DNA sequence: TACATCACG
DNA sequence: GACGTACGTGATGTAC
C-alpha cells in the first residue's frame, strides 16, 4: 500500500485535477482472485457470495486509494468472440466456471454499479479488446490511462500515457517491466507472443520456440513478417524448419493475441466519469448481500435494520491484503422461511419475460419439467416450472387439455385452459437456458435434459447445470433415497404435494394434461421451488464433506455421457429374437409334458408353491426347507442338489425354468422395448440408486443380458452393430481383485498383477503351498472361490457350502489365506470398524458409502451390514474407476478423430459401436483411457474384443 | 403388493 | 449357545 497511486505515477507531476486520468479495471482478474482467495460464503438465502464479497472489498479499497477522473470495470462478455471465428480452438479448453461462481457474475455487475463505477462489456469482444479501445481513445484526447491488471496479454498496450498496475503487488508496469518479461519493447510484444504461443489460451505459436528465443529472433529481424521473410536463411536447421512449416500458424497466433483497439466502445467516454457512490444504493446493496463488516467499515451502518450475516465457512485461513472475510456466523437461525406457494401460473409470453429477467438478475434458476410419462425419449412435454428464489416459482402449462367432466354433455365443447404455445415458451427460455452466467438447477437433470433436448420440444440446451439428486448421492449414497420428495422431507422439513394427490390413483387416475391448472401449478412449481431450496441446503455441504471433487469431476460430468448413451441405444435383431422365442416355446412344451408325467399330474410348473408341494409333500424327496412364508424352497440350488441325486423331475424343472426366464424377460420383454423408429433399445441408466456408486439400468435392464449359458449366448447374439460397424467390448480385468491387492497392499498379489500372471493360480500356490507350475484346476477353482468370497465378506460356512467341503476344512483354507495375506485380514477388520464408528466406508477415490444397519443389535442384520461394509469399497471403487474412464472417453475419442459411440456400461465393461475401419484405433484409444484413469499399486488392465454382435465381441 | 426366482457384474 | 451364513442390482410370474 505504498504511494504508487496511478495518477501520481503516470502523470509525472500532473494531478488528477489537472489531467484527465482513466482507470480501467480488468473485471475478470478481480473476480478470479476474489473467488479463489476466499472460502465459500453464502447469503442467508443460500446464494454463494464469496466472489461478490471479495470483489466489492477490492473495488472499495481501490477507490479509497486511487483517484482518477474516469473509471470503469471491464468485463468479458459471456459469448464467443471474433477470435473463435478464425481459430475455433482459441480458449476452447477453458473449463466452465465453477457452479458456485456462476450466480455471482450478475451480482458482481450489480456491485460495480452500486459503487458508482461504470461496468463495460460487449458481445463478441474480450475485456482486453475493450481496454485497448478505451485506452487508445483516451490517450488520443490527451489523457493518461492506468489498466489495473497483471495479465501479460495487456502489456502490448504500454506506451507513453498508458501503464499497467499490478493489483496484487500494487506495482506499476511500464516499459522496463515489459522488457524484463518479454525481452522486447511493448510494441513488439505481440510478435513475441505470436512465436511463443500461449498454452493456457490455446494460442499455438511455433513449436519449439519459447519467449526467450522469440525475443531474440524479433530483436534480430525487427518483427514477425521480417522474420518470416528471412526464415530460410536461419542457420539452426530445427528452428528454420519450424518457422517455415508454421509461418501461417504464427500469423494466426499474432492475430489472436493482438488486441483490437478499434473495437466499438459500448459507452461513450463521458459515461465513465468518476463519481462518488450513492450511499443509499451502496448500503442497500451491501445489506442485501449481508456484508455487515463492510457496511461498518464504510460507515454505512448507521440506522440499519437488523439482518443476518452471511454464513461463512472458512476452511483454511487465508486473507487478501487488507481484506477480511466476514466473521463466521452460525447456521441461519430459522428466520421464517418463505412459504411454499402460492405460485404463479404463466399463460402469456409477457408474463414469462418477467421471470426470465428475474433469473437473469439472480443468476440462479431451478427448473422442472412435467411430462405425460417417465420415459424421457418418448414422453411429451406438458409444462415447465421455474424457481428463481425460495418461494418464488411459477408453472408454464403447455399442453393442458380440458379437465375431465368439464364441458356440457349436451352442447358445450370442453375448453382447454389458456396457455402459451410451446414455441413461445421455448423461444423465451432458450437464451436463458444457454446463458453461461445463469446456473440451471435440476433434480435428476438427465431426464429433463433428454426431454427438453428433443427436437419436438425445441431442442433446448441447458448449461451450466447442477443436479440436486447427484449432489445428494455424492454425499449420502446408501444412507437414504435421493428422490425429491424424500430429500425435501429430510432436508427442508417439508412434504411436497404428491403426484398421486393431483392425478389420483388407480382407475381414477387422470393424465397430467388433464389436471386443472391451479392444482398443476401447486404441484409443478413447488417441485422447482423445492429443487432450488435443496440446492441451497446441500450444495454448500459438498466441500466440508469432502465430496466436491467426486461430484464435480465424476457425477456431474456423467450426465451428458449417459444421455448420449441412452440416446444412442443399441440395435437388437427382432426377427432373430422371434426365432429364438419359437424354439424356446416348443422346447418348453415338451419339457412341460415330461414334467407333468414325472409329477403324475398336471400343475403349473411356474408356481414354486405347487412345485414344492409335489416334490416335498407328495414325493417326499429329502432336503426340503421352508422359507419365510412357510413355503418349500425350490430354487435352483435345491433342485440342482436333488438332480445330482438322480431325480429326474427337478432336473427338467431346472431346464424349463431357464427357458421360461429367458423367454419372458429377454425374448418377449426385450422385443417389446425395441423402438420401432430405429430398431434399437434405449435403456435408462439410474445414477442414484445403488448403495455403492454403481449405475443401474432399467426399462429394459441392459446390464443383465444373458451370457453364462449356451441359450443365453443366443440372446446376446441378437444385439448387433449397424451395417458397416462392429461392436467393441472393453472389460476391466479382475478390477475388484486389483483393488483388493491395492487397498490391502498384498505383495504377492501385486507381483502377480504386475507380471500379468493368473491371479487365482497365484493365490492357489500361496495358500496351498504349491509350486506355481503345480497348481491344478481344482486348486485354482478353490482359490478363485475364496478370492471372490473375500471381497464379499464370506464366512467359513459360506465357503464350505460353495466348495462342497466341511466348514472345518473351509476354516483351514481361510486361515491359510489370511496368514499368507495378513494385510487383507487387517483391511477387512479396518473396514468393519470404520463402518461401525462412522457409519460409512470410503472408496479409494473418496466416495462416502453409508452402511445401513451396522449398529444393529440383531446379529444377523449387523452381520449383513458388516459384509456390505467389506464389499462396498471394492464394488464402489471399481464403479468409480469406470465412471472416470467414461467421462474422459468422449473427448479422447474426439481427439483421436474417432467416431465410435459408447452404448452401454455393464459395471466393468464398456460397449461401443465402431465403424469397421476404425476398430484398431478405437481399441487403442479405449484401452489407454481405461488403463490410464487411475494410478493404483497395481496396473489396470482392459481386455478388448469386437465382432458383429455382442456375443462375438467378448 | 410381497415373495421367490434368476439374469448380470 | 444361538443366530445366520457372499456383495450389488432389475424383471418376471405367482399368490395373496
Amino acid at each position: 500500500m505504498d504511494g504508487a497511486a496511478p495518477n501520481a505515477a503516470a502523470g509525472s507531476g500532473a494531478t488528477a485535477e489537472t489531467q484527465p486520468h482513466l482507470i480501467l479495471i480488468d473485471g475478470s482478474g478481480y473476480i478470479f482472485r476474489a473467488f479463489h482467495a476466499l472460502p465459500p460464503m453464502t447469503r442467508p438465502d443460500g446464494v454463494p457470495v464469496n466472489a461478490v464479497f471479495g470483489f466489492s472489498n477490492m473495488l472499495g479499497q481501490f477507490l479509497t486509494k486511487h483517484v482518477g477522473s474516469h473509471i470503469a470495470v471491464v468485463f468479458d462478455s459471456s459469448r464467443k468472440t471474433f477470435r473463435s471465428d478464425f481459430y475455433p480452438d482459441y480458449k476452447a479448453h477453458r473449463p466452465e466456471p465453477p457452479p458456485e461462481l456462476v450466480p455471482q457474475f450478475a451480482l458482481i455487475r450489480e456491485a460495480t454499479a452500486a459503487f458508482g463505477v461504470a461496468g463495460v462489456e460487449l458481445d463478441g469482444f474480450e475485456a482486453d479488446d475493450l481496454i485497448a479501445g478505451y485506452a487508445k481513445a483516451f490517450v488520443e484526447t490527451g489523457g493518461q490511462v492506468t489498466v489495473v491488471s497483471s495479465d501479460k496479454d495487456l502489456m502490448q498496450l504500454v506506451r507513453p500515457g498508458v501503464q499497467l498496475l499490478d493489483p496484487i503487488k500494487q506495482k506499476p508496469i511500464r516499459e522496463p517491466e515489459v522488457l524484463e518479461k518479454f525481452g522486447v519493447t511493448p510494441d513488439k510484444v505481440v510478435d513475441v507472443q505470436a512465436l511463443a504461443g500461449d498454452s493456457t489460451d490455446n494460442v499455438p505459436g511455433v513449436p519449439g520456440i519459447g519467449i526467450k528465443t522469440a525475443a531474440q529472433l524479433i530483436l534480430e529481424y525487427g518483427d514477425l513478417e521480417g522474420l518470416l521473410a528471412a526464415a530460410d536463411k536461419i542457420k539452426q536447421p530445427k528452428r528454420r524448419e519450424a518457422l517455415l512449416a508454421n509461418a501461417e500458424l504464427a500469423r494466426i497466433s499474432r492475430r489472436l493475441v493482438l488486441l483490437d483497439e478499434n473495437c466499438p466502445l459500448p459507452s461513450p467516454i463521458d459515461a465513465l466519469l468518476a463519481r462518488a457512490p450513492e450511499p443509499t444504493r451502496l448500503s442497500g446493496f451491501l445489506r442485501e448481500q449481508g456484508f455487515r463488516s463492510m457496511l461498518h467499515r464504510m460507515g454505512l451502518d448507521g440506522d440499519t435494520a437488523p439482518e443476518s450475516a452471511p454464513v461463512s465457512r472458512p476452511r483454511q485461513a487465508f486473507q487478501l491484503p487488507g481484506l477480511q472475510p466476514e466473521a463466521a456466523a452460525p447456521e441461519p437461525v430459522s428466520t421464517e422461511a418463505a412459504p411454499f406457494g402460492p405460485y404463479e401460473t404463466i399463460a402469456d409470453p409477457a408474463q414469462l419475460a418477467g421471470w426470465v429477467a428475474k433469473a437473469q438478475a439472480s443468476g440462479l434458476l431451478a427448473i422442472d419439467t412435467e411430462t405425460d410419462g417417465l420415459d424421457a425419449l418418448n414422453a411429451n412435454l406438458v409444462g415447465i416450472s421455474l424457481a428463481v428464489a425460495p418461494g418464488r416459482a411459477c408453472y408454464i402449462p403447455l399442453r393442458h387439455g380440458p379437465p375431465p367432466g368439464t364441458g356440457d354433455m349436451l352442447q358445450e365443447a370442453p375448453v382447454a385452459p389458456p396457455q402459451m404455445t410451446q414455441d413461445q415458451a421455448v423461444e423465451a427460455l432458450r437464451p436463458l437456458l444457454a446463458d453461461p452466467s445463469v446456473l440451471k438447477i435440476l433434480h435428476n437433470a438427465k431426464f429433463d435434459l433428454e426431454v427438453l433436448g428433443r427436437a419436438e420440444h425445441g431442442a433446448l440446451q441447458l448449461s451450466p447445470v447442477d443436479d440436486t439428486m447427484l449432489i445428494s448421492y455424492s454425499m449420502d449414497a446408501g444412507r437414504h433415497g435421493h428422490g425429491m420428495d424424500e430429500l425435501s422431507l429430510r432436508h427442508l422439513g417439508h412434504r411436497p404435494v404428491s403426484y398421486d394427490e393431483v392425478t389420483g390413483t388407480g382407475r381414477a387416475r387422470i393424465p397430467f394434461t388433464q389436471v386443472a391448472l391451479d392444482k398443476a401449478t401447486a404441484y409443478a412449481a413447488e417441485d422447482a421451488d423445492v429443487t432450488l431450496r435443496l440446492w441451497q441446503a446441500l450444495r454448500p455441504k459438498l466441500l466440508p464433506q469432502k465430496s466436491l471433487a467426486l461430484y464435480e469431476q465424476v457425477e456431474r460430468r456423467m450426465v451428458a455421457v449417459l444421455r448420449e448413451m441412452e440416446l444412442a441405444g443399441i440395435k437388437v435383431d427382432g426377427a432373430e429374437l422371434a426365432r429364438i422365442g419359437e424354439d424356446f416355446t416348443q422346447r418348453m412344451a415338451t419339457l412341460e409334458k415330461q414334467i407333468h408325467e414325472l409329477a403324475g399330474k398336471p400343475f403349473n410348473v411356474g408356481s414354486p408353491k405347487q412345485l414344492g408341494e409335489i416334490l416335498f409333500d407328495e414325493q417326499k424327496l429329502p432336503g426340503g426347507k421352508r422359507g419365510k412364508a412357510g413355503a418349500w424352497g425350490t430354487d435352483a440350488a435345491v433342485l440342482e442338489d436333488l438332480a445330482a441325486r438322480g431325480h429326474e423331475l427337478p432336473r427338467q424343472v431346472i431346464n424349463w425354468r431357464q427357458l421360461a426366464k429367458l423367454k419372458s424377460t429377454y425374448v418377449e420383454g426385450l422385443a417389446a422395448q425395441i423402438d420401432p423408429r430405429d430398431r434399437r433399445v434405449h435403456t435408462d441408466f439410474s445414477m442414484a440408486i445403488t448403495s455403492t456408486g454403481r449405475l443401474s439400468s432399467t426399462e429394459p435392464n441392459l446390464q443383465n443380458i444373458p451370457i453364462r449359458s449356451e441359450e443365453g449366448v443366443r440372446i446376446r447374439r441378437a444385439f448387433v452393430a449397424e451395417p458397416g460397424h462392429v461392436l467393441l467390448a472393453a472389460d476391466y480385468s479382475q478390477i475388484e481383485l486389483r483393488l483388493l491387492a491395492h487397498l490391502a497392499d498384498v505383495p504377492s498379489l501385486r507381483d502377480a498383477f504386475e507380471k500379468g500372471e493368473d491371479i487365482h493360480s497365484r493365490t492357489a500356490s500361496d495358500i496351498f503351498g504349491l509350486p506355481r507350475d503345480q497348481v491344478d484346476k481344482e486348486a485354482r477353482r478353490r482359490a478363485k472361490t475364496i478370492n471372490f468370497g473375500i471381497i464379499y465378506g464370506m464366512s467359513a460356512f459360506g465357503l464350505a457350502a460353495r466348495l462342497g467341503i466341511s466348514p472345518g476344512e473351509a476354516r483351514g483354507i481361510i486361515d491359510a489365506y489370511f496368514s499368507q495375506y495378513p494385510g487383507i485380514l487387517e483391511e477387512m477388520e479396518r473396514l468393519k470398524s470404520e463402518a461401525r464408528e462412522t457409519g460409512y466406508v470410503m472408496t479409494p477415490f473418496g466416495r462416502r458409502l453409508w452402511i445401513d444397519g451396522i449398529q444393529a443389535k440383531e446379529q444377523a442384520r449387523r452381520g449383513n451390514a458388516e459384509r456390505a461394509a467389506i464389499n462396498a469399497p471394492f464394488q464402489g471403487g471399481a464403479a468409480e474407476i469406470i465412471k472416470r474412464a467414461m467421462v474422459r472417453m468422449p473427448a479422447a475419442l474426439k481427439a483421436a478423430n474417432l467416431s465410435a459411440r459408447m452404448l452401454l456400461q455393464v459395471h466393468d465393461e464398456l460397449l461401443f459401436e465402431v465403424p469397421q475401419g476404425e476398430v484398431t484405433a478405437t481399441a487403442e484409444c479405449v484401452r489407454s483411457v481405461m488403463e490410464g484413469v487411475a494410478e493404483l499399486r497395481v496396473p489396470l488392465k482392459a481386455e478388448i474384443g469386437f465382432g458383429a454382435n455382442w456375443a462375438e465381441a467378448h
Side-chain angles (χ1 to χ4, degrees), chain A residues 113-381:
Chain A
F115 275 98
V117 174
V120 177
E121 59 190 298
L122 183 61
D123 254 11
F125 293 88
E126 294 185 46
D128 289 0
D129 295 310
L130 294 170
I131 289 172
Y134 278 105
K136 182 190 176 210
F138 205 76
V139 168
E140 278 173 358
T141 67
Q144 298 279 336
V145 176
T146 294
V147 177
V148 184
S149 175
S150 50
D151 187 344
K152 61 181 179 350
D153 294 342
L154 287 164
M155 289 188 179
Q156 59 184 278
L157 299 179
V158 171
R159 63 199 64 178
V162 181
Q163 65 165 355
L164 268 54
L165 178 71
D166 183 322
I168 301 167
K169 297 176 191 150
Q170 293 283 310
K171 216 184 72 181
I173 296 168
R174 280 168 282 189
E175 191 166 318
E177 287 79 15
V178 176
L179 204 56
E180 192 188 329
K181 170 87 188 168
F182 281 104
V184 293
T185 49
D187 57 313
K188 306 285 187 202
V189 162
V190 288
D191 297 289
V192 169
Q193 288 184 293
L195 293 170
D198 183 340
S199 55
T200 55
D201 291 348
N202 259 6
V203 174
V206 174
I209 296 188
I211 287 185
K212 290 245 169 88
T213 313
Q216 191 191 325
L217 290 168
I218 295 301
L219 282 177
E220 196 175 336
Y221 293 92
D223 59 18
L224 180 65
E225 285 309 322
L227 168 66
L228 294 177
D232 55 340
K233 299 188 189 75
I234 287 178
K235 292 190 191 98
Q236 300 92 327
K238 266 199 173 166
R239 208 173 274 179
R240 183 177 62 236
E241 294 310 316
L243 282 166
L244 288 172
N246 296 289
E248 211 37 52
L249 216 48
R251 289 192 178 100
I252 289 173
S253 299
R254 191 173 188 281
R255 284 175 68 198
L256 288 174
V257 297
L258 180 66
L259 299 179
D260 182 5
E261 56 181 23
N262 296 317
C263 68
L265 304 181
S267 316
I269 286 175
D270 287 349
L272 312 188
L273 261 176
R275 56 191 190 275
E278 200 184 303
T280 49
R281 182 170 185 191
L282 180 55
S283 65
F285 174 79
L286 296 176
R287 194 167 301 125
E288 222 171 275
Q289 311 312 316
F291 297 161
R292 283 192 310 184
S293 67
M294 216 183 291
L295 274 165
H296 179 69
R297 214 162 38 239
M298 297 183 168
L300 292 169
D301 57 351
D303 54 352
T304 59
E307 98 280 334
S308 43
V311 182
S312 166
R313 296 182 172 76
R315 211 163 75 88
Q316 61 237 116
F318 188 98
Q319 279 188 350
L320 288 176
L323 201 164
Q324 286 140 18
E326 302 286 297
E331 291 286 333
V333 238
S334 60
T335 46
E336 71 271 31
F340 289 84
Y343 303 112
E344 206 174 302
T345 308
I346 308 266
D348 69 87
Q351 212 181 344
L352 178 55
W355 286 83
V356 169
K358 279 181 238 170
Q360 211 96 47
S362 72
L364 281 184
L365 176 67
I367 307 172
D368 188 36
T369 55
E370 299 305 330
T371 61
D372 59 3
L374 293 175
D375 167 5
L377 266 30
N378 287 302
N380 295 299
L381 182 60

Side-chain angles (χ1 to χ4, degrees), chain A residues 899-911:
Chain A
S899 48
R901 285 193 299 181
M902 189 154 55
L903 306 185
L904 295 177
Q905 185 252 44
V906 192
H907 309 311
D908 64 358
E909 168 188 0
L910 294 175
L911 187 70

